[in-house]
């Protein structure tokens, strides 16, 4: 099993960032029904104004090779497109457990 953990920092006003993050979260949470290798996904939106990062996700797939299957799937690409115009930074860790 592999955990794919990604954090995103968005640009814009706090309300704009929240709006994008909310739409992104909804799209990501629909992915397990669309992507066979995606066993689960959890998405959190930061609620601490003292922190700089806006969204974090933890996706679980069976094997490291499935991370790229998930990443290239058209439904995932469409979800990522939601925040593309406002994405300032992305940090990712993939680990086997």
């Amino acid at each position: 099993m592999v955990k794919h953990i990604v954090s995103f920092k968005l640009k814009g006003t706090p309300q704009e960032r929240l709006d994008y993050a909310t739409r992104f979260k909804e799209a990501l949470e629909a992915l397990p029904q669309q992507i066979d290798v995606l066993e689960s996904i959890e998405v959190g939106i930061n609620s601490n104004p003292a922190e700089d990062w806006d969204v974090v996700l933890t996706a679980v797939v069976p094997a490291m090779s499935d991370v790229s299957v998930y990443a290239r799937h058209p439904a995932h690409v469409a979800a990522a497109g939601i925040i593309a115009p406002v994405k300032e930074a992305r940090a990712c860790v993939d680990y086997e457990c």
Side-chain angles (χ1 to χ4, degrees), residues 21-31:
T22 301
R23 290 177 40 227
F24 185 48
K25 179 181 188 327
E26 291 170 359
L28 290 173
E29 289 175 340
L31 294 180

Side-chain angles (χ1 to χ4, degrees), residues 6 12 17-18 29 34 42 46 73 77 87 92:
V6 188
R17 294 187 346 255
L18 178 59
E29 289 175 340
Q34 301 172 58
E42 181 179 353
N46 180 37
H73 191 282
V77 171
K87 183 173 65 177
C92 177

Side-chain angles (χ1 to χ4, degrees), residues 23-81:
R23 290 177 40 227
F24 185 48
K25 179 181 188 327
E26 291 170 359
L28 290 173
E29 289 175 340
L31 294 180
Q33 292 78 34
Q34 301 172 58
I35 304 174
D36 290 340
V37 299
L38 185 56
E39 294 178 356
S40 67
I41 192 164
E42 181 179 353
V43 184
I45 297 174
N46 180 37
S47 49
N48 182 349
E51 297 297 336
D52 294 330
W53 292 79
D54 297 289
V55 181
V56 65
L57 72 88
T58 302
V60 178
V61 295
M64 193 62 73
S65 59
D66 293 320
V67 174
S68 63
V69 172
Y70 155 76
R72 291 189 304 236
H73 191 282
H76 175 266
V77 171

Side-chain angles (χ1 to χ4, degrees), residues 7-20:
S7 295
F8 297 92
K9 186 186 295 189
L10 307 178
K11 298 181 276 191
T13 67
Q15 187 59 53
E16 289 169 336
R17 294 187 346 255
L18 178 59
D19 291 346
Y20 275 98

